[in-house]
Amino acid sequence: MRIGDILRQGTFSLSFEFFPPKTPEGEEELFQTIKNLQELKPTFVSVTYGAGGSTRDRTKRVVKRIHQQTDIRTMVHLTCIAHSKEEITQIVEEYKSIGIRNILALRGDRPAGSFNPPEDACTYAYQLVSLIRERFGDWFSIGVASYPEGHPESPNMEWEIKYFKKKVDAGADFSITQMFFDNRYYYQFVELCQKAGINIPIIPGIMPITNFAQVRKFASMCGADIPQHLVEKLEPYVDNPEETLKIGVEFATRQCIELLERGVPGLHFYTLNRSKATLLVYDNIKSYIRREG
Ligand code: FAD
């Protein structure tokens, strides 16, 4: 079943995000992580895609391997910014031919320096959603990204919602948010979406902090605010991975429980290809999750 159909039935979705490793050792580590997380019976797992198309083959190999060697539903990320429409069609066709039914349609970040995309490349994600719908009909369930604190290129939330709605109107079935560390951003975003007539499920993206320096860098790149009280807790332990893990898991646990109590449609964990933190958080929150089967 496609992810959109599962969510439409009101079934809670648990999902994990991975990136395609650069080395055979990294790939074996990833498959160990997948094996560990498989026990949680995820609704789906997803594999990221380099914005410039740099991970095209690696993403495909990992997606194919998960799809063929496990019984986990797989969603592939696809960015459009550096591909011609024909390239996109070819890539999507390849996924269709191996039985993939779920795509996260993204624009991707423009690479630094001079950038010469193909003339007919999609400039925004809504065009990619339209292209996939136009050429593949309803074969795929299409997810899109959303930004509870606003995308760094959006001047305000009005703009954010306006262009998020364009992706939904183009045919997106559901959305996964950028990581956030203050649930109020998520609640406000969902409320703004409802007011704008956006009714697709919006799944919160959760990043359990295991490496403060790394998360701080990601957060500043994507415009996610790390609350001062959390910074103060983590800062003294930048060189202490065990204590960081403890604080990160404790924080993510509280964040997830609060979201679950508000009835979120699912939780999507940014795993960074590791299972430990996600397993610990899941263990703490499992009694709050209503799961079928
Ligand atoms: P868009 O929805 O196109 O929006 C980008 C910006 O343009 C926004 O500010 C929007 O308001 C604005 N905009 C949209 N349409 C218009 C218009 N018509 N006119 C003017 N402005 C407009 N990146 C990767 O490279 N690979 C991945 O695998 C990946 N996975 C991700 C997964 C999730 C869950 C999330 C939240 C992000 C992911 N990203 C990934 C990052 C994403 O590619 C970047 O944030 C990128 O800058 C925006 O992509 P988008 O699809 O949200 O773009």
Side-chain angles (χ1 to χ4, degrees), residues 17 48-51 77 79 104-109 124-126 145-147 151 153-154 159 163 166-167 176-178 270:
E17 180 171 312
T48 63
Y49 189 81
H77 296 211
T79 60
L104 190 70
L106 301 145
R107 185 197 70 179
D109 284 320
Y124 295 108
Y126 79 89
S146 52
Y147 303 86
H151 183 276
E153 289 168 37
S154 299
W159 175 289
Y163 289 114
K166 245 175 131 58
K167 297 196 273 196
I176 299 176
T177 76
Q178 185 56 275
Y270 294 107

PDB file of all heavy atoms in Angstrom, residues 17 48-51 77 79 104-109 124-126 145-147 151 153-154 159 163 166-167 176-178 270, ligand 1:
ATOM      1  N   GLU A  17      14.729   7.875   8.307  1.00  0.00           N
ATOM      2  CA  GLU A  17      15.418   8.393   7.117  1.00  0.00           C
ATOM      3  C   GLU A  17      16.900   8.026   7.136  1.00  0.00           C
ATOM      4  O   GLU A  17      17.554   8.126   8.174  1.00  0.00           O
ATOM      5  CB  GLU A  17      15.250   9.923   7.082  1.00  0.00           C
ATOM      6  CG  GLU A  17      15.924  10.561   5.879  1.00  0.00           C
ATOM      7  CD  GLU A  17      15.564  12.025   5.730  1.00  0.00           C
ATOM      8  OE1 GLU A  17      14.374  12.376   5.805  1.00  0.00           O
ATOM      9  OE2 GLU A  17      16.501  12.826   5.534  1.00  0.00           O
ATOM     10  N   THR A  48      17.781   9.433   1.131  1.00  0.00           N
ATOM     11  CA  THR A  48      17.960  10.781   0.579  1.00  0.00           C
ATOM     12  C   THR A  48      18.671  10.748  -0.777  1.00  0.00           C
ATOM     13  O   THR A  48      19.235   9.726  -1.193  1.00  0.00           O
ATOM     14  CB  THR A  48      18.749  11.691   1.546  1.00  0.00           C
ATOM     15  OG1 THR A  48      20.061  11.143   1.701  1.00  0.00           O
ATOM     16  CG2 THR A  48      18.069  11.799   2.895  1.00  0.00           C
ATOM     17  N   TYR A  49      18.667  11.913  -1.427  1.00  0.00           N
ATOM     18  CA  TYR A  49      19.205  12.050  -2.785  1.00  0.00           C
ATOM     19  C   TYR A  49      20.012  13.345  -2.850  1.00  0.00           C
ATOM     20  O   TYR A  49      19.525  14.388  -2.425  1.00  0.00           O
ATOM     21  CB  TYR A  49      18.022  12.131  -3.760  1.00  0.00           C
ATOM     22  CG  TYR A  49      18.395  12.065  -5.216  1.00  0.00           C
ATOM     23  CD1 TYR A  49      18.653  10.841  -5.823  1.00  0.00           C
ATOM     24  CD2 TYR A  49      18.480  13.221  -5.996  1.00  0.00           C
ATOM     25  CE1 TYR A  49      18.984  10.767  -7.163  1.00  0.00           C
ATOM     26  CE2 TYR A  49      18.806  13.151  -7.340  1.00  0.00           C
ATOM     27  CZ  TYR A  49      19.044  11.917  -7.914  1.00  0.00           C
ATOM     28  OH  TYR A  49      19.374  11.851  -9.242  1.00  0.00           O
ATOM     29  N   GLY A  50      21.231  13.289  -3.363  1.00  0.00           N
ATOM     30  CA  GLY A  50      22.061  14.505  -3.466  1.00  0.00           C
ATOM     31  C   GLY A  50      21.431  15.500  -4.421  1.00  0.00           C
ATOM     32  O   GLY A  50      20.985  15.116  -5.507  1.00  0.00           O
ATOM     33  N   ALA A  51      21.400  16.790  -4.027  1.00  0.00           N
ATOM     34  CA  ALA A  51      20.689  17.795  -4.822  1.00  0.00           C
ATOM     35  C   ALA A  51      21.211  17.893  -6.254  1.00  0.00           C
ATOM     36  O   ALA A  51      20.451  18.071  -7.193  1.00  0.00           O
ATOM     37  CB  ALA A  51      20.766  19.155  -4.149  1.00  0.00           C
ATOM     38  N   HIS A  77      13.830   9.686  -2.030  1.00  0.00           N
ATOM     39  CA  HIS A  77      13.833  11.146  -2.179  1.00  0.00           C
ATOM     40  C   HIS A  77      14.336  11.457  -3.591  1.00  0.00           C
ATOM     41  O   HIS A  77      15.220  10.760  -4.101  1.00  0.00           O
ATOM     42  CB  HIS A  77      14.813  11.808  -1.203  1.00  0.00           C
ATOM     43  CG  HIS A  77      14.464  11.639   0.247  1.00  0.00           C
ATOM     44  ND1 HIS A  77      14.772  12.584   1.200  1.00  0.00           N
ATOM     45  CD2 HIS A  77      13.844  10.635   0.921  1.00  0.00           C
ATOM     46  CE1 HIS A  77      14.353  12.163   2.390  1.00  0.00           C
ATOM     47  NE2 HIS A  77      13.796  10.978   2.245  1.00  0.00           N
ATOM     48  N   THR A  79      15.445  14.969  -5.956  1.00  0.00           N
ATOM     49  CA  THR A  79      15.535  16.432  -6.109  1.00  0.00           C
ATOM     50  C   THR A  79      15.570  16.760  -7.600  1.00  0.00           C
ATOM     51  O   THR A  79      16.122  16.003  -8.402  1.00  0.00           O
ATOM     52  CB  THR A  79      16.782  16.999  -5.424  1.00  0.00           C
ATOM     53  OG1 THR A  79      17.940  16.402  -6.013  1.00  0.00           O
ATOM     54  CG2 THR A  79      16.794  16.718  -3.936  1.00  0.00           C
ATOM     55  N   LEU A 104       9.518  11.179  -2.278  1.00  0.00           N
ATOM     56  CA  LEU A 104       9.507  12.492  -1.635  1.00  0.00           C
ATOM     57  C   LEU A 104      10.050  13.472  -2.684  1.00  0.00           C
ATOM     58  O   LEU A 104      11.221  13.386  -3.072  1.00  0.00           O
ATOM     59  CB  LEU A 104      10.381  12.506  -0.377  1.00  0.00           C
ATOM     60  CG  LEU A 104      10.237  13.761   0.477  1.00  0.00           C
ATOM     61  CD1 LEU A 104       8.857  13.819   1.166  1.00  0.00           C
ATOM     62  CD2 LEU A 104      11.313  13.838   1.564  1.00  0.00           C
ATOM     63  N   ALA A 105       9.180  14.350  -3.174  1.00  0.00           N
ATOM     64  CA  ALA A 105       9.544  15.247  -4.281  1.00  0.00           C
ATOM     65  C   ALA A 105      10.103  16.556  -3.736  1.00  0.00           C
ATOM     66  O   ALA A 105       9.402  17.293  -3.037  1.00  0.00           O
ATOM     67  CB  ALA A 105       8.314  15.515  -5.146  1.00  0.00           C
ATOM     68  N   LEU A 106      11.356  16.825  -4.075  1.00  0.00           N
ATOM     69  CA  LEU A 106      12.069  17.978  -3.503  1.00  0.00           C
ATOM     70  C   LEU A 106      12.727  18.818  -4.584  1.00  0.00           C
ATOM     71  O   LEU A 106      13.056  18.303  -5.660  1.00  0.00           O
ATOM     72  CB  LEU A 106      13.185  17.474  -2.582  1.00  0.00           C
ATOM     73  CG  LEU A 106      12.752  16.609  -1.412  1.00  0.00           C
ATOM     74  CD1 LEU A 106      13.802  15.546  -1.149  1.00  0.00           C
ATOM     75  CD2 LEU A 106      12.528  17.464  -0.180  1.00  0.00           C
ATOM     76  N   ARG A 107      12.973  20.061  -4.236  1.00  0.00           N
ATOM     77  CA  ARG A 107      13.739  20.901  -5.151  1.00  0.00           C
ATOM     78  C   ARG A 107      15.228  20.639  -4.993  1.00  0.00           C
ATOM     79  O   ARG A 107      15.958  20.514  -5.951  1.00  0.00           O
ATOM     80  CB  ARG A 107      13.448  22.378  -4.859  1.00  0.00           C
ATOM     81  CG  ARG A 107      14.113  23.298  -5.855  1.00  0.00           C
ATOM     82  CD  ARG A 107      14.173  24.718  -5.357  1.00  0.00           C
ATOM     83  NE  ARG A 107      15.107  24.859  -4.254  1.00  0.00           N
ATOM     84  CZ  ARG A 107      15.366  25.994  -3.637  1.00  0.00           C
ATOM     85  NH1 ARG A 107      14.731  27.079  -4.000  1.00  0.00           N
ATOM     86  NH2 ARG A 107      16.225  26.056  -2.653  1.00  0.00           N
ATOM     87  N   GLY A 108      15.706  20.581  -3.730  1.00  0.00           N
ATOM     88  CA  GLY A 108      17.147  20.508  -3.473  1.00  0.00           C
ATOM     89  C   GLY A 108      17.723  21.898  -3.331  1.00  0.00           C
ATOM     90  O   GLY A 108      17.091  22.887  -3.735  1.00  0.00           O
ATOM     91  N   ASP A 109      18.904  21.982  -2.724  1.00  0.00           N
ATOM     92  CA  ASP A 109      19.564  23.283  -2.563  1.00  0.00           C
ATOM     93  C   ASP A 109      20.423  23.561  -3.785  1.00  0.00           C
ATOM     94  O   ASP A 109      21.075  22.656  -4.302  1.00  0.00           O
ATOM     95  CB  ASP A 109      20.444  23.271  -1.306  1.00  0.00           C
ATOM     96  CG  ASP A 109      19.599  23.388  -0.050  1.00  0.00           C
ATOM     97  OD1 ASP A 109      18.624  24.164  -0.072  1.00  0.00           O
ATOM     98  OD2 ASP A 109      19.909  22.692   0.928  1.00  0.00           O
ATOM     99  N   TYR A 124      11.258  24.620  -8.923  1.00  0.00           N
ATOM    100  CA  TYR A 124      10.668  24.436  -7.595  1.00  0.00           C
ATOM    101  C   TYR A 124      10.038  23.046  -7.493  1.00  0.00           C
ATOM    102  O   TYR A 124       9.695  22.441  -8.518  1.00  0.00           O
ATOM    103  CB  TYR A 124       9.600  25.512  -7.332  1.00  0.00           C
ATOM    104  CG  TYR A 124      10.175  26.904  -7.257  1.00  0.00           C
ATOM    105  CD1 TYR A 124       9.948  27.818  -8.283  1.00  0.00           C
ATOM    106  CD2 TYR A 124      10.967  27.285  -6.174  1.00  0.00           C
ATOM    107  CE1 TYR A 124      10.499  29.097  -8.220  1.00  0.00           C
ATOM    108  CE2 TYR A 124      11.515  28.557  -6.110  1.00  0.00           C
ATOM    109  CZ  TYR A 124      11.284  29.452  -7.132  1.00  0.00           C
ATOM    110  OH  TYR A 124      11.828  30.710  -7.065  1.00  0.00           O
ATOM    111  N   ALA A 125       9.856  22.615  -6.240  1.00  0.00           N
ATOM    112  CA  ALA A 125       9.350  21.256  -6.020  1.00  0.00           C
ATOM    113  C   ALA A 125       7.941  21.040  -6.576  1.00  0.00           C
ATOM    114  O   ALA A 125       7.612  19.938  -7.009  1.00  0.00           O
ATOM    115  CB  ALA A 125       9.390  20.943  -4.523  1.00  0.00           C
ATOM    116  N   TYR A 126       7.100  22.091  -6.571  1.00  0.00           N
ATOM    117  CA  TYR A 126       5.724  21.874  -7.054  1.00  0.00           C
ATOM    118  C   TYR A 126       5.726  21.441  -8.523  1.00  0.00           C
ATOM    119  O   TYR A 126       4.869  20.677  -8.975  1.00  0.00           O
ATOM    120  CB  TYR A 126       4.850  23.123  -6.816  1.00  0.00           C
ATOM    121  CG  TYR A 126       5.031  24.248  -7.799  1.00  0.00           C
ATOM    122  CD1 TYR A 126       4.279  24.311  -8.964  1.00  0.00           C
ATOM    123  CD2 TYR A 126       5.976  25.252  -7.572  1.00  0.00           C
ATOM    124  CE1 TYR A 126       4.462  25.345  -9.876  1.00  0.00           C
ATOM    125  CE2 TYR A 126       6.162  26.273  -8.461  1.00  0.00           C
ATOM    126  CZ  TYR A 126       5.407  26.325  -9.620  1.00  0.00           C
ATOM    127  OH  TYR A 126       5.599  27.333 -10.518  1.00  0.00           O
ATOM    128  N   ALA A 145       8.366  18.264   1.282  1.00  0.00           N
ATOM    129  CA  ALA A 145       8.967  18.823   2.501  1.00  0.00           C
ATOM    130  C   ALA A 145       8.140  20.007   2.995  1.00  0.00           C
ATOM    131  O   ALA A 145       7.538  20.727   2.206  1.00  0.00           O
ATOM    132  CB  ALA A 145      10.388  19.277   2.207  1.00  0.00           C
ATOM    133  N   SER A 146       8.142  20.196   4.324  1.00  0.00           N
ATOM    134  CA  SER A 146       7.544  21.426   4.865  1.00  0.00           C
ATOM    135  C   SER A 146       8.424  21.958   5.994  1.00  0.00           C
ATOM    136  O   SER A 146       9.242  21.218   6.561  1.00  0.00           O
ATOM    137  CB  SER A 146       6.110  21.176   5.344  1.00  0.00           C
ATOM    138  OG  SER A 146       6.054  20.086   6.223  1.00  0.00           O
ATOM    139  N   TYR A 147       8.231  23.226   6.288  1.00  0.00           N
ATOM    140  CA  TYR A 147       9.173  23.938   7.157  1.00  0.00           C
ATOM    141  C   TYR A 147       8.422  24.729   8.224  1.00  0.00           C
ATOM    142  O   TYR A 147       8.039  25.888   7.999  1.00  0.00           O
ATOM    143  CB  TYR A 147      10.043  24.880   6.301  1.00  0.00           C
ATOM    144  CG  TYR A 147      10.765  24.127   5.210  1.00  0.00           C
ATOM    145  CD1 TYR A 147      10.141  23.879   3.979  1.00  0.00           C
ATOM    146  CD2 TYR A 147      12.035  23.617   5.426  1.00  0.00           C
ATOM    147  CE1 TYR A 147      10.776  23.138   2.994  1.00  0.00           C
ATOM    148  CE2 TYR A 147      12.687  22.874   4.443  1.00  0.00           C
ATOM    149  CZ  TYR A 147      12.050  22.641   3.241  1.00  0.00           C
ATOM    150  OH  TYR A 147      12.687  21.895   2.257  1.00  0.00           O
ATOM    151  N   HIS A 151      11.107  28.067   5.383  1.00  0.00           N
ATOM    152  CA  HIS A 151      12.322  27.728   4.641  1.00  0.00           C
ATOM    153  C   HIS A 151      13.232  28.965   4.654  1.00  0.00           C
ATOM    154  O   HIS A 151      12.737  30.096   4.597  1.00  0.00           O
ATOM    155  CB  HIS A 151      11.933  27.339   3.201  1.00  0.00           C
ATOM    156  CG  HIS A 151      13.086  26.899   2.366  1.00  0.00           C
ATOM    157  ND1 HIS A 151      13.914  27.776   1.696  1.00  0.00           N
ATOM    158  CD2 HIS A 151      13.567  25.665   2.121  1.00  0.00           C
ATOM    159  CE1 HIS A 151      14.849  27.081   1.062  1.00  0.00           C
ATOM    160  NE2 HIS A 151      14.659  25.796   1.288  1.00  0.00           N
ATOM    161  N   GLU A 153      14.714  30.494   2.493  1.00  0.00           N
ATOM    162  CA  GLU A 153      14.496  31.440   1.384  1.00  0.00           C
ATOM    163  C   GLU A 153      13.137  32.139   1.461  1.00  0.00           C
ATOM    164  O   GLU A 153      12.858  33.019   0.653  1.00  0.00           O
ATOM    165  CB  GLU A 153      14.587  30.702   0.042  1.00  0.00           C
ATOM    166  CG  GLU A 153      15.997  30.274  -0.302  1.00  0.00           C
ATOM    167  CD  GLU A 153      16.026  29.302  -1.475  1.00  0.00           C
ATOM    168  OE1 GLU A 153      15.226  29.450  -2.405  1.00  0.00           O
ATOM    169  OE2 GLU A 153      16.868  28.383  -1.433  1.00  0.00           O
ATOM    170  N   SER A 154      12.289  31.729   2.410  1.00  0.00           N
ATOM    171  CA  SER A 154      10.962  32.351   2.503  1.00  0.00           C
ATOM    172  C   SER A 154      11.030  33.581   3.401  1.00  0.00           C
ATOM    173  O   SER A 154      11.479  33.482   4.550  1.00  0.00           O
ATOM    174  CB  SER A 154       9.937  31.368   3.095  1.00  0.00           C
ATOM    175  OG  SER A 154       9.814  30.248   2.281  1.00  0.00           O
ATOM    176  N   TRP A 159       4.260  33.596   2.891  1.00  0.00           N
ATOM    177  CA  TRP A 159       4.932  33.124   1.669  1.00  0.00           C
ATOM    178  C   TRP A 159       5.118  31.607   1.743  1.00  0.00           C
ATOM    179  O   TRP A 159       4.830  30.868   0.796  1.00  0.00           O
ATOM    180  CB  TRP A 159       6.281  33.851   1.587  1.00  0.00           C
ATOM    181  CG  TRP A 159       7.204  33.436   0.486  1.00  0.00           C
ATOM    182  CD1 TRP A 159       7.884  32.262   0.382  1.00  0.00           C
ATOM    183  CD2 TRP A 159       7.566  34.201  -0.659  1.00  0.00           C
ATOM    184  NE1 TRP A 159       8.661  32.237  -0.735  1.00  0.00           N
ATOM    185  CE2 TRP A 159       8.486  33.421  -1.399  1.00  0.00           C
ATOM    186  CE3 TRP A 159       7.227  35.478  -1.128  1.00  0.00           C
ATOM    187  CZ2 TRP A 159       9.062  33.869  -2.583  1.00  0.00           C
ATOM    188  CZ3 TRP A 159       7.813  35.923  -2.313  1.00  0.00           C
ATOM    189  CH2 TRP A 159       8.709  35.125  -3.021  1.00  0.00           C
ATOM    190  N   TYR A 163       3.411  28.857  -0.948  1.00  0.00           N
ATOM    191  CA  TYR A 163       4.119  27.954  -1.862  1.00  0.00           C
ATOM    192  C   TYR A 163       4.050  26.498  -1.401  1.00  0.00           C
ATOM    193  O   TYR A 163       4.169  25.592  -2.222  1.00  0.00           O
ATOM    194  CB  TYR A 163       5.545  28.445  -2.116  1.00  0.00           C
ATOM    195  CG  TYR A 163       5.517  29.688  -2.976  1.00  0.00           C
ATOM    196  CD1 TYR A 163       5.925  30.930  -2.499  1.00  0.00           C
ATOM    197  CD2 TYR A 163       5.006  29.608  -4.261  1.00  0.00           C
ATOM    198  CE1 TYR A 163       5.837  32.064  -3.292  1.00  0.00           C
ATOM    199  CE2 TYR A 163       4.915  30.736  -5.062  1.00  0.00           C
ATOM    200  CZ  TYR A 163       5.332  31.957  -4.575  1.00  0.00           C
ATOM    201  OH  TYR A 163       5.230  33.070  -5.360  1.00  0.00           O
ATOM    202  N   LYS A 166       0.978  25.237  -3.050  1.00  0.00           N
ATOM    203  CA  LYS A 166       1.166  24.943  -4.481  1.00  0.00           C
ATOM    204  C   LYS A 166       1.588  23.479  -4.679  1.00  0.00           C
ATOM    205  O   LYS A 166       1.189  22.816  -5.627  1.00  0.00           O
ATOM    206  CB  LYS A 166       2.255  25.875  -5.034  1.00  0.00           C
ATOM    207  CG  LYS A 166       1.735  26.860  -6.076  1.00  0.00           C
ATOM    208  CD  LYS A 166       2.834  27.817  -6.492  1.00  0.00           C
ATOM    209  CE  LYS A 166       2.980  27.951  -7.990  1.00  0.00           C
ATOM    210  NZ  LYS A 166       1.845  28.379  -8.751  1.00  0.00           N
ATOM    211  N   LYS A 167       2.415  22.973  -3.751  1.00  0.00           N
ATOM    212  CA  LYS A 167       2.870  21.576  -3.866  1.00  0.00           C
ATOM    213  C   LYS A 167       1.708  20.624  -3.599  1.00  0.00           C
ATOM    214  O   LYS A 167       1.582  19.584  -4.215  1.00  0.00           O
ATOM    215  CB  LYS A 167       4.002  21.299  -2.853  1.00  0.00           C
ATOM    216  CG  LYS A 167       5.246  22.126  -3.106  1.00  0.00           C
ATOM    217  CD  LYS A 167       6.462  21.594  -2.372  1.00  0.00           C
ATOM    218  CE  LYS A 167       6.612  22.111  -0.974  1.00  0.00           C
ATOM    219  NZ  LYS A 167       7.963  21.885  -0.420  1.00  0.00           N
ATOM    220  N   ILE A 176       6.502  15.779   5.120  1.00  0.00           N
ATOM    221  CA  ILE A 176       7.389  15.535   6.270  1.00  0.00           C
ATOM    222  C   ILE A 176       8.083  16.858   6.568  1.00  0.00           C
ATOM    223  O   ILE A 176       8.558  17.543   5.649  1.00  0.00           O
ATOM    224  CB  ILE A 176       8.432  14.452   5.943  1.00  0.00           C
ATOM    225  CG1 ILE A 176       7.712  13.133   5.602  1.00  0.00           C
ATOM    226  CG2 ILE A 176       9.401  14.255   7.114  1.00  0.00           C
ATOM    227  CD1 ILE A 176       8.626  12.016   5.172  1.00  0.00           C
ATOM    228  N   THR A 177       8.140  17.211   7.852  1.00  0.00           N
ATOM    229  CA  THR A 177       8.718  18.519   8.173  1.00  0.00           C
ATOM    230  C   THR A 177      10.231  18.448   8.327  1.00  0.00           C
ATOM    231  O   THR A 177      10.807  17.395   8.611  1.00  0.00           O
ATOM    232  CB  THR A 177       8.166  19.110   9.490  1.00  0.00           C
ATOM    233  OG1 THR A 177       8.782  18.428  10.594  1.00  0.00           O
ATOM    234  CG2 THR A 177       6.666  19.028   9.575  1.00  0.00           C
ATOM    235  N   GLN A 178      10.814  19.597   8.176  1.00  0.00           N
ATOM    236  CA  GLN A 178      12.210  19.813   8.573  1.00  0.00           C
ATOM    237  C   GLN A 178      12.279  19.575  10.087  1.00  0.00           C
ATOM    238  O   GLN A 178      11.271  19.715  10.787  1.00  0.00           O
ATOM    239  CB  GLN A 178      12.584  21.267   8.235  1.00  0.00           C
ATOM    240  CG  GLN A 178      14.014  21.634   8.455  1.00  0.00           C
ATOM    241  CD  GLN A 178      14.950  20.711   7.699  1.00  0.00           C
ATOM    242  OE1 GLN A 178      15.286  19.639   8.196  1.00  0.00           O
ATOM    243  NE2 GLN A 178      15.366  21.114   6.517  1.00  0.00           N
ATOM    244  N   TYR A 270      15.060  11.338  11.756  1.00  0.00           N
ATOM    245  CA  TYR A 270      16.312  11.528  11.017  1.00  0.00           C
ATOM    246  C   TYR A 270      17.362  10.707  11.764  1.00  0.00           C
ATOM    247  O   TYR A 270      17.781  11.090  12.857  1.00  0.00           O
ATOM    248  CB  TYR A 270      16.704  13.007  11.009  1.00  0.00           C
ATOM    249  CG  TYR A 270      15.728  13.861  10.221  1.00  0.00           C
ATOM    250  CD1 TYR A 270      14.832  14.725  10.841  1.00  0.00           C
ATOM    251  CD2 TYR A 270      15.697  13.771   8.838  1.00  0.00           C
ATOM    252  CE1 TYR A 270      13.936  15.485  10.103  1.00  0.00           C
ATOM    253  CE2 TYR A 270      14.804  14.533   8.087  1.00  0.00           C
ATOM    254  CZ  TYR A 270      13.936  15.384   8.733  1.00  0.00           C
ATOM    255  OH  TYR A 270      13.046  16.134   7.995  1.00  0.00           O
TER     256      TYR A 270
HETATM  257  P1  FAD B   1      10.390  24.179  -2.642  1.00  0.00           P
HETATM  258  O1  FAD B   1       9.127  23.638  -2.112  1.00  0.00           O
HETATM  259  O2  FAD B   1      10.483  24.382  -4.124  1.00  0.00           O
HETATM  260  O3  FAD B   1      10.657  25.553  -1.877  1.00  0.00           O
HETATM  261  C1  FAD B   1      11.914  26.169  -1.829  1.00  0.00           C
HETATM  262  C2  FAD B   1      11.735  27.664  -1.553  1.00  0.00           C
HETATM  263  O4  FAD B   1      11.191  28.301  -2.715  1.00  0.00           O
HETATM  264  C3  FAD B   1      10.768  27.987  -0.418  1.00  0.00           C
HETATM  265  O5  FAD B   1      11.235  29.134   0.238  1.00  0.00           O
HETATM  266  C4  FAD B   1       9.459  28.288  -1.144  1.00  0.00           C
HETATM  267  O6  FAD B   1       8.599  29.123  -0.405  1.00  0.00           O
HETATM  268  C5  FAD B   1       9.969  28.976  -2.394  1.00  0.00           C
HETATM  269  N1  FAD B   1       9.091  28.819  -3.559  1.00  0.00           N
HETATM  270  C6  FAD B   1       8.446  27.710  -3.959  1.00  0.00           C
HETATM  271  N2  FAD B   1       7.770  27.921  -5.096  1.00  0.00           N
HETATM  272  C7  FAD B   1       8.021  29.223  -5.447  1.00  0.00           C
HETATM  273  C8  FAD B   1       7.624  30.040  -6.538  1.00  0.00           C
HETATM  274  N3  FAD B   1       6.825  29.606  -7.509  1.00  0.00           N
HETATM  275  N4  FAD B   1       8.069  31.325  -6.563  1.00  0.00           N
HETATM  276  C9  FAD B   1       8.867  31.803  -5.594  1.00  0.00           C
HETATM  277  N5  FAD B   1       9.275  31.055  -4.530  1.00  0.00           N
HETATM  278  C10 FAD B   1       8.860  29.791  -4.452  1.00  0.00           C
HETATM  279  N6  FAD B   1      17.653  17.936   0.091  1.00  0.00           N
HETATM  280  C11 FAD B   1      18.371  17.107  -0.712  1.00  0.00           C
HETATM  281  O7  FAD B   1      19.225  17.587  -1.469  1.00  0.00           O
HETATM  282  N7  FAD B   1      18.175  15.754  -0.722  1.00  0.00           N
HETATM  283  C12 FAD B   1      17.242  15.162   0.070  1.00  0.00           C
HETATM  284  O8  FAD B   1      17.073  13.936   0.036  1.00  0.00           O
HETATM  285  C13 FAD B   1      16.469  15.991   0.946  1.00  0.00           C
HETATM  286  N8  FAD B   1      15.519  15.479   1.759  1.00  0.00           N
HETATM  287  C14 FAD B   1      14.758  16.300   2.533  1.00  0.00           C
HETATM  288  C15 FAD B   1      13.764  15.741   3.347  1.00  0.00           C
HETATM  289  C16 FAD B   1      12.961  16.545   4.157  1.00  0.00           C
HETATM  290  C17 FAD B   1      11.886  15.910   5.006  1.00  0.00           C
HETATM  291  C18 FAD B   1      13.166  17.954   4.168  1.00  0.00           C
HETATM  292  C19 FAD B   1      12.328  18.841   5.049  1.00  0.00           C
HETATM  293  C20 FAD B   1      14.162  18.529   3.367  1.00  0.00           C
HETATM  294  C21 FAD B   1      14.959  17.711   2.539  1.00  0.00           C
HETATM  295  N9  FAD B   1      15.949  18.247   1.709  1.00  0.00           N
HETATM  296  C22 FAD B   1      16.697  17.407   0.907  1.00  0.00           C
HETATM  297  C23 FAD B   1      16.238  19.701   1.711  1.00  0.00           C
HETATM  298  C24 FAD B   1      15.523  20.473   0.565  1.00  0.00           C
HETATM  299  O9  FAD B   1      15.951  20.000  -0.684  1.00  0.00           O
HETATM  300  C25 FAD B   1      15.883  21.951   0.723  1.00  0.00           C
HETATM  301  O10 FAD B   1      15.323  22.473   1.892  1.00  0.00           O
HETATM  302  C26 FAD B   1      15.573  22.847  -0.475  1.00  0.00           C
HETATM  303  O11 FAD B   1      16.188  24.109  -0.285  1.00  0.00           O
HETATM  304  C27 FAD B   1      14.088  23.117  -0.686  1.00  0.00           C
HETATM  305  O12 FAD B   1      13.450  22.029  -1.186  1.00  0.00           O
HETATM  306  P2  FAD B   1      11.835  22.013  -1.268  1.00  0.00           P
HETATM  307  O13 FAD B   1      11.471  20.783  -1.973  1.00  0.00           O
HETATM  308  O14 FAD B   1      11.235  22.284   0.021  1.00  0.00           O
HETATM  309  O15 FAD B   1      11.627  23.287  -2.255  1.00  0.00           O
END
